[in-house]
Amino acid sequence: MPDSLPSDSVGLVTPKTIHFDVPLELSCGQSLERYDLMVETYGKLNADASNAVLICHALSGHHHAAGYHSLDDRKPGWWDSCIGPGKPIDTNRFFVVSLNNLGGCHGSTGPNSNNPETGKPYGPDFPVLTVADWVASQARLADHLGIQQWAAVVGGSLGGMQALQWSLDYPDRLRHSVVIASTPRLTAQNIAFNEVARQAITSDREFFEGRYYDENLVPKRGLMLARMVGHITYLSDASMGEKFGRELREEAYKFGFGAEFQVESYLRYQGERFSETFDANTYLLMTRALDYFDPAYEFGGDLSKALAPATCEYLVLSFSTDWRFSPARSEEMVDAMISARKRVSYAEIDAPWGHDAFLIPTPRYTDIFTAYMDRVAREVGA
Amino acid sequence: MRADLEIIQQWVRPGHHVLDLGCGDGTLLDFLQRERSATGFGLEINPDHITTCMGRGVRVIEQNLDSHGLDNFDDGMFDIVLMTQALQAVRRPDKVIDEMLRVGREGIVTFPNFAHWRLRWGLALSGRMPESDALPYKWYNTPNIRLCTFKDFEALCRQKGIRIKSRRVVDGQHQNSWLARLWPNLLGEIAIYRISRET
């Protein structure tokens, strides 16, 4: 708990539920008749509504990106390092909107919400969503907030995919798309890791084909394993090595199979904590959305053709040790943007933390992000 | 205005799509964007320069010419490819020139003249590798690994069948000087070449 809130924090924030009752047509062919989005905002929308920035979250993210919900909070929002007064996304200048995506488990309508048709949680009946569906729901949110055009749509990892999708689906509605530690499509290896995670969940005896809510149970074991394998892909070999090395929890080998190495106990702890706060069906849904994302698919794999409608300017950032979505994946995206004659800037940031580097403020990352967003702010008079 | 910018901008038409190899802090591209509504990118590897470019609205791609080349750019996609004071710092200037004229219709290249009289004089008198304002490094730490003279460059262009459309010779401060025009390979410090494969 912070004794007092840091001066560069957005401070205490209160999330808000926004209800939508115009049906949303989804990529899978179904539609959601009505739904809620859980939203937080930071900063003030200016008179001509030109200073709005949308934050898109990654696999396990949610609406609480910055600040504190109460003085008892141990930690601030998940991207507090980049959002706040004087930070790269400067809340003295921007009106920042952050939401929990549809299908999520932090207040927006998702598998653990009640299906109005049955009065019971959706569970496996909740439609499988795509990145494009999320972007469509975010456009509805922009309408609701009176934002015709975002100054920027910003996201890391799966969030970066949403920032890219925005530029294709609503080209007039954003000035800048900031795509961090992301990829234009998953590789077979990426999908393979997702599949292991899903198998861990669905093979848990307490999964009950996704209807575990009805049994008052949670497939904790499966979620924990899913998170453990996911977590390994978020870190680099070097950062794990530095953090844990081969360090043992006690002095000698015990010739058993308990958590003897520090890294084992760390992974178990991370997995357990995650399984207490995250919904298994949401995890399945989010990983599937990742797998399906491939804007070039309809264009014979030619991403530059898929980019044709885009009019925004792009900032693409990658991190040297990210092996989940490596710099080469970002470069693919940048090359397609160049080929499609789009305005783009790109940097590969040297950072040891693997994929997670997009959440950690390193000097070069902060400098570039700050310089770019400062220019975005000047452009919209913020 | 810097004399080299003044000269280069005369060769850039409004709306030209421009690639600047080793764009530094983006001064030239920023100038061309404002004065000539030019579009395009700079390539750079220096982190501080990249940040400065991003802050001033110059599109910049972190890309190393030596390791990456220009493979990711399509044939003829730029009206002009610029390379100011960087030719002498790449591993294979000849290949870079080929690539410049593959992705661009025209190239503008500036580099320091290793045959300038002060460098010749320094080498002749002291027997040590020469240093000057344009070449302020020691032999062991210089990024300028492929120094050449105006004559060398022109011979390479001839050999490759590249047409030199214009050449301007300036001094170390990028100022025009009648002396340098008179005897460029001896008295000129920096040359600005405009080259093309078109006949």
Side-chain angles (χ1 to χ4, degrees):
Chain A
M1 174 186 87
D3 290 337
S4 62
L5 295 172
S7 63
D8 62 352
S9 165
V10 298
L12 286 176
V13 291
T14 310
K16 202 165 87 176
T17 304
I18 300 174
H19 183 70
F20 296 83
D21 49 18
V22 177
L24 184 70
E25 302 291 331
L26 304 171
S27 309
C28 64
Q30 300 182 46
S31 70
L32 269 179
E33 297 304 308
R34 57 188 84 87
Y35 54 92
D36 292 337
L37 292 178
M38 188 66 112
V39 179
E40 273 180 18
T41 66
Y42 323 110
K44 283 200 175 68
L45 188 63
N46 62 8
D48 57 355
S50 63
N51 69 332
V53 171
L54 176 67
I55 307 296
C56 302
H57 69 73
L59 179 55
S60 59
H62 44 66
H63 54 281
H64 184 39
Y68 298 83
H69 283 161
S70 94
L71 284 169
D72 297 331
D73 286 359
R74 218 166 43 83
K75 281 183 180 174
W78 58 269
W79 218 12
D80 197 78
S81 60
C82 288
I83 304 167
K87 290 179 182 170
I89 302 171
D90 188 343
T91 49
N92 289 331
R93 304 168 84 185
F94 290 116
F95 174 66
V96 180
V97 179
S98 175
L99 77 155
N100 182 214
N101 275 337
L102 215 47
C105 54
H106 293 92
S108 293
T109 301
N112 64 356
S113 311
N114 270 343
N115 181 348
E117 280 173 25
T118 63
K120 289 205 275 186
Y122 281 98
D125 299 332
F126 196 83
V128 172
L129 298 172
T130 63
V131 169
D133 294 332
W134 283 330
V135 167
S137 70
Q138 291 160 0
R140 297 266 179 92
L141 174 61
D143 294 341
H144 174 89
L145 296 169
I147 296 159
Q148 178 45 42
Q149 187 186 54
W150 300 102
V153 177
V154 182
S157 192
L158 177 56
M161 295 175 180
Q162 293 159 59
L164 181 63
Q165 190 74 43
W166 258 98
S167 72
L168 311 179
D169 292 352
Y170 300 95
D172 305 334
R173 299 199 65 177
L174 71 165
R175 297 181 65 91
H176 293 264
S177 165
V178 179
V179 182
I180 305 172
S182 194
T183 176
R185 66 178 77 87
L186 260 59
T187 61
Q189 189 193 47
N190 294 145
I191 295 170
F193 275 114
N194 283 346
E195 173 58 5
V196 173
R198 282 189 295 263
Q199 283 293 324
I201 290 169
T202 55
S203 61
D204 186 317
R205 269 194 308 185
E206 300 188 337
F207 181 64
F208 290 102
E209 306 290 314
R211 298 195 192 279
Y212 46 89
Y213 319 97
D214 304 345
E215 315 284 331
N216 265 324
L217 287 168
V218 172
K220 263 195 80 168
R221 187 101 207 126
L223 252 179
M224 178 181 152
L225 287 173
R227 181 60 170 183
M228 282 168 78
V229 71
H231 204 92
I232 296 168
T233 70
Y234 303 149
L235 306 177
S236 69
D237 191 20
S239 65
M240 268 189 156
E242 191 184 320
K243 212 166 176 176
F244 310 107
R246 295 181 48 83
E247 208 177 309
L248 294 169
R249 296 177 66 208
E250 289 170 35
E251 272 170 30
Y253 294 158
K254 289 184 169 166
F255 299 94
F257 301 102
E260 292 186 31
F261 290 92
Q262 286 293 2
V263 66
E264 294 175 302
S265 99
Y266 169 81
L267 277 181
R268 289 183 188 193
Y269 173 75
Q270 288 293 331
E272 258 166 48
R273 270 201 38 212
F274 186 75
S275 69
E276 285 155 10
T277 55
F278 210 83
D279 179 70
N281 282 315
T282 290
Y283 202 86
L284 298 180
L285 183 148
M286 296 272 175
T287 55
R288 201 41 127 186
L290 274 163
D291 294 351
Y292 284 168
F293 182 71
D294 183 8
Y297 182 70
E298 289 168 58
F299 299 86
D302 187 340
L303 184 60
S304 69
K305 284 199 183 122
L307 289 166
T311 55
C312 70
E313 182 162 347
Y314 294 99
L315 171 64
V316 179
L317 297 176
S318 70
F319 297 90
S320 55
T321 55
D322 183 352
W323 59 278
R324 182 181 171 88
F325 299 152
S326 72
R329 300 283 82 76
S330 285
E331 282 159 25
E332 255 174 57
M333 202 162 17
V334 170
D335 290 350
M337 287 164 181
I338 290 169
S339 186
R341 308 283 199 275
K342 304 302 169 188
R343 294 172 295 160
V344 53
S345 290
Y346 169 67
E348 179 190 323
I349 290 149
D350 211 6
W353 294 287
H355 188 58
D356 264 357
F358 85 89
L359 296 166
I360 300 167
T362 35
R364 187 173 180 220
Y365 179 30
T366 307
D367 286 352
I368 285 187
F369 205 0
T370 304
Y372 193 88
M373 293 309 293
D374 169 63
R375 187 194 136 220
V376 174
R378 279 185 276 123
E379 215 177 82
V380 297
Chain B
M1 188 183 353
R2 263 168 55 186
D4 57 338
L5 299 190
E6 173 67 42
I7 292 165
I8 290 168
Q9 66 131 355
Q10 293 168 9
W11 296 333
V12 179
R13 286 219 194 91
H16 260 174
H17 201 42
V18 175
L19 179 67
D20 188 354
L21 307 179
C23 67
D25 65 5
T27 304
L28 177 56
L29 275 178
D30 185 39
F31 177 79
L32 294 176
Q33 280 175 196
R34 284 186 286 108
E35 300 297 317
R36 283 284 179 272
S37 313
T39 56
F41 310 94
L43 303 192
E44 184 51 62
I45 51 171
N46 176 309
D48 294 333
H49 285 337
I50 290 170
T51 303
T52 307
C53 286
M54 288 188 183
R56 75 196 323 181
V58 165
R59 262 63 71 178
V60 61
I61 311 282
E62 180 165 346
Q63 183 167 327
N64 189 324
L65 271 175
D66 279 336
S67 55
H68 200 300
L70 296 176
D71 287 352
N72 51 332
F73 296 95
D74 300 333
D75 291 1
M77 72 178 295
F78 296 99
D79 296 297
I80 295 184
V81 182
L82 300 160
M83 194 173 193
T84 58
Q85 302 293 83
L87 186 73
Q88 74 282 358
V90 297
R91 209 176 294 153
R92 288 298 297 267
D94 55 335
K95 292 191 172 161
V96 170
I97 290 166
D98 285 338
E99 280 291 273
M100 281 179 86
L101 295 180
R102 177 183 66 78
V103 304
R105 289 193 295 106
E106 203 172 285
I108 296 174
V109 182
T110 82
F111 60 89
N113 177 21
F114 203 64
H116 184 255
W117 70 268
R118 226 180 287 128
L119 300 176
R120 297 193 198 194
W121 185 247
L123 181 61
L125 275 192
S126 68
R128 306 278 306 268
M129 282 300 282
E131 291 166 33
S132 71
D133 291 345
L135 297 167
Y137 299 95
K138 300 286 179 199
W139 64 271
Y140 47 82
N141 65 6
T142 181
N144 302 315
I145 54 172
R146 293 284 185 264
L147 290 158
C148 71
T149 73
F150 296 168
K151 276 189 177 170
D152 288 328
F153 181 76
E154 287 169 25
L156 180 66
C157 288
R158 258 198 313 280
Q159 182 200 319
K160 288 183 174 293
I162 291 167
R163 190 161 77 93
I164 294 170
K165 295 173 81 170
S166 325
R167 184 190 70 186
R168 301 292 179 81
V169 177
V170 293
D171 67 18
Q173 276 68 53
H174 292 100
Q175 297 302 312
N176 276 302
S177 99
W178 65 271
L179 273 171
R181 277 202 298 277
L182 191 70
W183 201 343
N185 204 42
L186 185 64
L187 302 177
E189 283 191 83
I190 292 169
I192 306 165
Y193 284 92
R194 184 183 177 204
I195 56 176
S196 162
R197 284 212 180 273
E198 289 163 8
T199 45

